[in-house]
Every structure is written in structure tokens, then in C-alpha cells.
């Protein structure tokens, strides 16, 4: 395994949250504008990671134009290395082989007819190179297979460039990297760690500049070998699936709609850019080698709504999850799952992160960017804005899901949230607000500047110990229950948690933001002053991490890089 510290973390810039300055707000809002507010916008230093940019290792490209009427390769017909077939791998309509051995772990919901499978066209890519795809394939799969020996061949590399591609597959993954080079061929659980270099990976997915690409894919439930012991022959969980480590580069856009999981690899996944939207019945992103896999996000804009079925995490790594940059917005199933989930630890080192769920896998304490782990006393609406301000009223973080095209389509509930932003600073005290109206400049609901904020409810907390696993405790060994095996959720099995409205946002808590002195809002737009000779008290939580006698506090003090707050309610 190649283990190097990415050089992208060395790039340090002066910027605010999502590279934006702190905002000024109207005096009618629950936070106020002061001279200190304007000064803070100019002086707050934060670290911003620069993600690697795609550079092809090949001198030329093969141009593939997709069509339901046929395939065009470099303006001509099919070739020896790019051709179509009708041999897609799918979960058949049977429970056992002719030998009597069980066929697989799936159910009737996972099965497909031979006629449905035969209607799908497989576009085969069987040689190394850069391939630029455009056009529409209404029923088919892009399958990259360089042969059984490819895993150990560093030249067995395919760069799949999506440039206005629209691919739909209803019986299996729409894009499948089957056999390419595995850059971490000597991996082991004993030597695994959260830093891994996938720059030489044989699978790369590139989203061409100014392109919008659409992938709608299914999955293949676990199929057994025709032998005793129920040994796995095949299992492909995601709409985009790679058996080997994979890189994703921007700067284009990719929309993934998944019948099961969205973007999956069997080992490592590194996302370096792109505007990626994922809507999935189960996990949005999954890397599935237990104790080994590393999901790394260095850049891009990821908006994920997962668990549209009975379960599903926003991002689920069976090993490590490392966020070094970009914007990550992930919402999990409200019943029992997390926006971020990893078996070996989730590390937030940069970027802007908003992760919403019920059982939470909290950011690790040795993350390199100040992060807030928030555990609420009651379910909150994922349709409500989340705003963080300084004590003087400076808005340094704002996210409004109603402006997020992905999450805005399905308003749900959450009890746990992980939020992080480059503007968060250790040693500062912040105020937390929910709901209200945010005015300013945003991308996907994440604000880069705020000109006004009003109508929000101020939050308070009573403890600083959220505990691992959140309200429901951790999932068994950090993964799915033994009998689920990553299979597609079955309709009718989901029972919403108490208070869940079945996809509708609940009514917001009574009371807008306070406006009288003494309730946490500076009077008349000015910061309060202390009597002569007195100093501000030390806001550091007492030993044991709990306010005295569970007393409520509206001051969210950033004592460490990762800070936990529990029992959060409206003031």
C-alpha cells in the first residue's frame, strides 16, 4: 500500500466558510451588525485544501457516442476493443441451481427476467486508454474489463470521461469497472490506515467541463457459486460500481439515481472534484472492504440524500472516511442511519460538511478542522436552515436545505448533525440557530455570503458528550445487520420513528429568535460591555464535559478541534 500525506493539505489560504467572507446581517435579524463584524470578515484565517486536477496519462482519446440504435466509435463502427454485447450479469429468476445448491441471497424483489436482461446492451471497453462518452443509452451498461490479470498490471488503466452521457440500467450497475489495475494490491487489515494514495488507480471517472451527466442504475444481489458453502460469486451493490480502487474528477456534473447504493467501490474511493448529486435507496456512497477501505474527499460538491428505502447512510466506509476539502452535504435515513458512517473513523480536515442522521458516527477528535458534533433532544426538520454566528453577530456558517435541489426534494428529520467549516476557530464561542430566512449567495443551499438572516430559533445545549452511535447506538460492527447483506430494501418494511411525519417536515418549535437583552442577542446592534475591572469568564466546559448540573447554555464553545454538544433544544 502506498501511504503518503496528500500535498493538497499544504495549501493554506485566507478565506471564510466555503471561501466566502463572514457576512453582515440586518439589525432586524436575530444577529446584529457591528464594527467587529466587519473586521472579522477581513481577519479570519482558515485553511482551504486544493484538490488534484485531472491530467490524462494518455496522448489521445477514443470518442464513443451512445445511442439506442447503435454505437459510434471515433465516428465509425465498433472495434475489437470497444463493442456491444447482450451478456449483462444480473440476478436471475430462481432460488437454486440445477444441482440443488442455493442460487443466491436475494429475494423476489431482486430478480429479473431473462427478457429484461436481454433488452440491455453492454458497451464493452477491453483495452487501456481514455474514453470520452456522450449520448444516451436507455437500457444498458458500460463495462470496463481488461482481463483477469489486470489487477496486477499498472498499465491496465481506463479513464472514463463522461461528456453529456445519459445511461440507464434496470437490472445491474449502469457503470461497472470489472477488471483494471489495483493500486493498493498489497492491502491488509493489519497495515491499513486513513491515508492512501490512489493516484495510480486503474479506474478513473472524469466529469468533463461544462457537462451534465445522468446515471440511473440498479444492482446485483449476492449470487453464490454453484457449490456447497454459499461462497460469493458476484455482488454489485451500486449504480456506479468498481471492483478496484477508483478516482473521481470534475469539474462537470453527475446525477446518480440508485435503486440500491449510489457510488461504490470494493476497496478505496477518492473524490477530487465534480458536482455530484446522489439519490439512493440505500447508502449514497459505500466502500466495502472491512477495516481497510478509505473514502477520501479532496474536493467537489457532493449532495447526497440516502436511505430513501428502509435504511441507508449518506457516506458509509467499512474502513476510514477522510474529508480534506470540497462541500459535503449528506442526509441519511431518519430511522436509524448516519450522514457520515465509518468503521475505523471519520476525519474532517477541511471543506464544508453538513451531515444529518439519527444514529451518528461522529467526527474523530484528531480531525484537523474545527467541527461540531450536535445531538438534539428531539427530531429536527431537515427542511430548516442551520446557521452559526459569532457572539458579535457575524454569520460564519449557513445552510438552507430548501435551496438544495437534492435534499429539498425529500424533507426528513434528524437527531444528530455534524457540521464543519473553514471559518470555525478553536477558542471561539458561537451561537446556533435553526430555521428562519437566510438571504445571500448560495450554491446548493450552502451560503458563501449572507446579507440578512431573520426568524430563526436560538439553540441551547445541556451536555458535551454525545456518545458514539448517537441515539440508537452503533450498527453491528459498524455495518449492516448480518441478514441484510446490502440487499435492496423491501417495500412496506419501514416504520418511521416517533414524531416522523413520513417525509413531511414537522412544525418548527414555538418561538422565533429572541430579541430582548439578556437572551443572548446584543441590544441595539452593539456588543454588551462588562463592568469596569471584570473580565469574561472562562467558557471552557468543566472537567467531565458537562455544564454544571446540566444547566443550559447558548454559548457553543470550541474547546477542541472536534466539539460535542448534546441535549440541544430551542431556547
Amino acid at each position: 500500500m502506498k501511504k503518503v500525506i496528500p500535498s493538497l493539505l499544504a495549501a493554506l489560504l485566507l478565506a471564510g466558510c466555503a471561501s466566502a467572507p463572514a457576512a453582515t446581517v440586518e439589525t432586524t435579524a436575530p444577529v446584529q451588525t457591528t464594527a467587529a463584524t466587519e473586521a472579522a470578515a477581513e481577519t479570519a484565517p482558515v485553511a482551504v485544501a486544493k484538490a488534484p486536477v485531472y491530467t490524462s496519462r494518455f496522448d489521445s482519446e477514443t470518442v464513443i457516442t451512445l445511442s439506442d440504435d447503435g454505437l459510434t466509435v471515433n465516428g465509425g463502427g465498433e472495434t475489437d476493443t470497444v463493442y456491444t454485447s447482450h451478456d449483462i450479469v444480473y440476478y436471475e429468476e430462481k432460488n437454486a441451481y440445477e444441482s440443488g445448491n442455493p442460487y443466491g441471497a436475494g429475494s423476489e424483489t431482486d430478480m429479473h427476467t431473462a427478457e429484461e436482461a436481454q433488452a440491455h446492451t453492454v458497451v464493452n471497453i477491453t483495452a487501456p486508454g481514455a474514453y470520452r462518452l456522450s449520448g444516451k443509452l436507455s437500457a444498458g451498461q458500460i463495462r470496463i474489463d481488461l482481463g483477469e490479470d489486470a489487477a496486477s498490471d499498472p498499465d491496465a488503466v481506463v479513464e472514463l470521461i463522461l461528456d453529456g452521457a445519459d445511461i440507464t440500467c434496470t437490472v445491474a450497475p449502469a457503470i461497472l469497472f470489472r477488471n483494471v489495475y489495483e493500486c493498493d494490491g498489497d492491502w491488509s487489515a493489519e497495515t491499513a490506515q486513513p491515508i492512501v494514495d490512489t493516484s495510480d488507480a486503474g479506474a478513473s471517472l472524469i466529469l468533463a467541463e461544462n457537462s451534465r451527466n445522468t446515471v440511473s442504475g440498479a444492482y446485483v444481489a449476492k449470487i453464490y457459486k454453484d457449490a456447497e458453502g454459499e461462497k460469493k460469486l458476484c455482488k454489485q451493490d451500486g449504480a456506479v460500481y468498481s471492483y478496484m480502487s477508483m478516482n473521481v474528477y470534475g469539474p462537470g456534473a453527475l446525477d446518480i439515481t440508485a435503486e440500491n447504493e449510489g457510488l461504490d467501490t470494493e476497496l478505496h474511493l477518492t473524490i477530487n472534484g465534480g458536482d455530484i448529486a446522489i439519490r439512493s435507496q440505500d447508502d449514497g456512497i459505500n466502500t466495502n472492504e472491512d477495516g481497510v477501505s478509505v473514502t477520501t474527499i479532496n474536493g467537489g460538491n457532493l449532495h447526497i440524500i440516502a436511505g430513501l428505502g428502509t435504511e441507508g447512510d449518506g457516506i458509509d466506509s467499512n474502513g476510514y472516511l477522510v474529508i480534506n476539502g470540497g462541500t459535503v452535504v449528506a442526509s441519511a435515513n431518519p430511522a436509524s442511519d448516519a450522514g457520515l458512517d465509518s468503521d475505523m473513523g471519520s476525519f474532517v480536515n477541511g471543506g464544508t460538511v453538513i451531515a444529518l442522521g439519527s444514529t451518528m458516527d461522529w467526527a474523530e477528535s484528531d480531525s484537523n478542522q474545527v467541527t461540531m458534533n450536535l445531538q438534539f433532544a428531539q427530531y429536527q426538520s431537515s427542511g430548516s436552515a442551520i446557521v452559526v454566528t459569532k457572539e458579535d453577530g457575524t454569520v460564519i456558517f449557513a445552510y438552507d436545505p430548501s435551496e438544495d435541489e437534492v435534499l429539498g426534494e425529500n424533507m426528513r428529520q434528524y437527531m444528530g448533525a455534524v457540521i464543519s467549516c473553514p471559518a470555525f476557530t478553536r477558542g471561539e464561542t458561537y451561537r446556533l440557530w435553526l430555521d428562519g430566512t437566510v438571504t445571500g449567495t448560495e450554491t446548493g443551499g450552502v451560503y458563501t455570503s449572507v446579507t440578512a438572516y431573520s426568524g430563526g430559533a436560538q439553540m441551547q445545549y445541556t451536555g458535551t458528550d454525545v456518545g458514539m452511535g448517537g441515539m440508537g447506538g452503533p450498527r453491528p460492527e459498524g455495518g449492516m445487520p448480518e441478514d441484510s447483506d446490502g440487499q435492496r430494501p423491501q417495500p412496506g418494511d419501514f416504520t418511521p420513528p416517533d414524531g416522523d411525519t413520513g417525509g413531511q417536515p414537522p412544525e418548527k418549535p414555538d418561538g422565533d429568535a429572541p430579541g430582548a437583552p439578556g437572551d443572548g442577542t446584543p441590544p441595539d446592534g452593539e456588543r454588551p460591555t462588562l463592568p469596569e475591572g471584570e473580565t469574561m469568564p472562562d467558557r471552557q466546559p468543566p472537567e467531565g464535559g458537562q455544564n454544571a448540573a446540566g444547566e443550559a447554555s447558548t454559548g457553543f464553545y470550541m474547546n477542541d478541534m472536534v466539539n460535542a454538544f448534546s441535549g440541544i433544544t430551542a431556547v
Side-chain angles (χ1 to χ4, degrees):
M1 179 186 293
K2 297 180 180 178
K3 303 179 182 71
V4 297
I5 298 176
S7 60
L8 59 93
L9 292 179
L12 300 179
L13 303 175
L14 294 181
C17 184
S19 300
T24 56
V25 295
E26 296 176 344
T27 54
T28 56
V31 289
Q32 310 296 323
T33 301
T34 67
T37 304
E38 298 172 355
E42 301 174 356
T43 60
V46 294
V48 178
K50 185 177 181 181
V53 177
Y54 163 67
T55 301
S56 179
R57 64 185 292 176
F58 300 101
D59 295 330
S60 62
E61 298 177 356
T62 298
V63 179
I64 302 174
T65 303
L66 304 173
S67 169
D68 293 336
D69 298 325
L71 188 68
T72 300
V73 182
N74 288 333
E78 299 181 10
T79 69
D80 291 340
T81 57
V82 181
Y83 58 91
T84 59
S85 63
H86 291 274
D87 58 349
I88 196 167
V89 175
Y90 68 102
Y91 198 93
E92 299 178 19
E93 277 191 310
K94 61 184 180 183
N95 295 316
Y97 290 100
E98 292 183 359
S99 63
N101 291 322
Y103 173 67
S107 65
E108 290 187 7
T109 307
D110 307 309
M111 296 178 180
H112 300 280
T113 66
E115 291 75 17
E116 184 182 3
Q118 183 66 22
H120 281 71
T121 299
V122 177
V123 177
N124 296 277
I125 296 174
T126 61
Y131 298 84
R132 185 176 294 268
L133 270 65
S134 63
K136 184 174 183 178
L137 188 61
S138 298
Q141 180 187 77
I142 311 300
R143 182 170 67 196
I144 296 94
D145 191 342
L146 306 191
E148 294 181 356
D149 297 330
S152 58
D153 181 1
D155 293 325
V157 174
V158 167
E159 299 169 357
L160 192 66
I161 307 166
L162 302 185
D163 192 0
D166 186 346
I167 306 164
T168 298
C169 186
T170 61
V171 300
I175 296 177
L176 176 66
F177 284 89
R178 183 62 184 90
N179 284 302
V180 292
Y181 176 57
E182 176 49 65
C183 60
D184 189 13
D186 60 348
W187 64 266
S188 71
E190 289 73 23
T191 60
Q193 57 178 303
I195 298 174
V196 62
D197 179 10
T198 62
S199 58
D200 292 332
S204 283
L205 188 66
I206 299 97
L207 312 176
E209 187 172 6
N210 298 321
S211 72
R212 179 161 290 280
N213 307 279
T214 302
V215 171
S216 179
Y219 62 99
V220 179
K222 182 187 284 186
I223 300 173
Y224 299 135
K225 296 178 180 179
D226 187 3
E228 295 182 2
E230 299 183 353
K231 299 295 185 179
K232 183 177 73 172
L233 172 66
C234 173
K235 183 170 179 281
Q236 302 164 1
D237 289 332
V240 177
Y241 195 85
S242 178
Y243 280 78
M244 310 296 176
S245 296
M246 180 169 65
N247 296 313
V248 179
Y249 297 91
L254 173 62
D255 290 346
I256 297 176
T257 301
E259 289 187 16
N260 189 47
E261 296 179 347
L263 180 59
D264 282 26
T265 73
E266 292 204 358
L267 196 53
H268 307 308
L269 172 67
T270 301
I271 297 177
N272 294 310
D275 290 322
I276 301 173
I278 300 176
R279 303 165 178 86
S280 62
Q281 293 296 307
D282 205 294
D283 298 335
I285 291 175
N286 182 270
T287 50
N288 58 32
E289 185 60 47
D290 291 346
V292 177
S293 287
V294 181
T295 301
T296 306
I297 300 172
N298 293 323
N301 292 290
L302 280 73
H303 290 252
I304 301 169
I305 183 162
L308 293 173
T310 58
E311 62 182 6
D313 299 307
I315 301 175
D316 182 2
S317 173
N318 288 6
Y320 302 91
L321 170 59
V322 182
I323 301 175
N324 294 321
T327 297
V328 178
V329 181
S331 175
N333 187 285
S336 61
D337 291 288
L340 307 179
D341 180 36
S342 64
D343 288 6
M344 304 300 290
S346 298
F347 302 86
V348 179
N349 300 322
T352 298
V353 178
I354 304 104
L356 307 175
S358 295
T359 58
M360 295 302 297
D361 185 39
W362 309 106
E364 295 295 319
S365 60
D366 48 352
S367 295
N368 290 327
Q369 179 169 281
V370 176
T371 300
M372 299 171 70
N373 290 334
L374 306 174
Q375 189 175 76
F376 294 84
Q378 298 177 333
Y379 275 94
Q380 304 296 319
S381 169
S382 61
S384 299
I386 303 174
V387 176
V388 177
T389 70
K390 290 185 175 183
E391 289 185 291
D392 63 11
T394 307
V395 175
I396 60 171
F397 176 95
Y399 169 68
D400 187 353
S402 67
E403 301 295 334
D404 187 334
E405 293 182 2
V406 180
L407 270 67
E409 296 172 354
N410 194 308
M411 299 298 185
R412 298 186 293 181
Q413 296 181 325
Y414 64 93
M415 289 190 74
V418 176
I419 61 174
S420 185
C421 170
F424 289 174
T425 304
R426 189 173 180 178
E428 292 286 337
T429 297
Y430 299 129
R431 309 294 183 188
L432 176 67
W433 310 80
L434 294 186
D435 212 354
T437 301
V438 184
T439 304
T441 303
E442 53 82 28
T443 300
V446 180
Y447 281 80
T448 55
S449 66
V450 175
T451 56
Y453 172 56
S454 61
Q458 188 174 14
M459 297 290 107
Q460 61 186 1
Y461 68 95
T462 58
T464 55
D465 181 10
V466 294
M468 293 305 296
M471 297 302 295
R475 295 162 74 175
E477 297 183 358
M480 291 184 177
E482 184 67 23
D483 59 354
S484 71
D485 199 27
Q487 301 305 308
R488 181 183 182 185
Q490 302 299 312
D493 291 342
F494 174 55
T495 302
D498 292 341
D500 197 335
T501 56
Q504 299 297 321
E507 296 182 2
K508 68 177 183 178
D510 293 336
D512 285 337
D519 59 12
T521 303
D524 301 326
E526 297 181 1
R527 300 184 68 178
T529 58
L530 294 170
E532 185 176 354
E534 292 189 17
T535 60
M536 288 291 290
D538 184 5
R539 294 187 181 87
Q540 181 171 336
E543 186 175 355
Q546 185 81 13
N547 287 328
E551 294 180 358
S553 173
T554 59
F556 289 72
Y557 178 68
M558 302 296 104
N559 187 56
D560 298 302
M561 296 304 290
V562 176
N563 305 273
F565 303 95
S566 59
I568 301 174
T569 59
V571 172

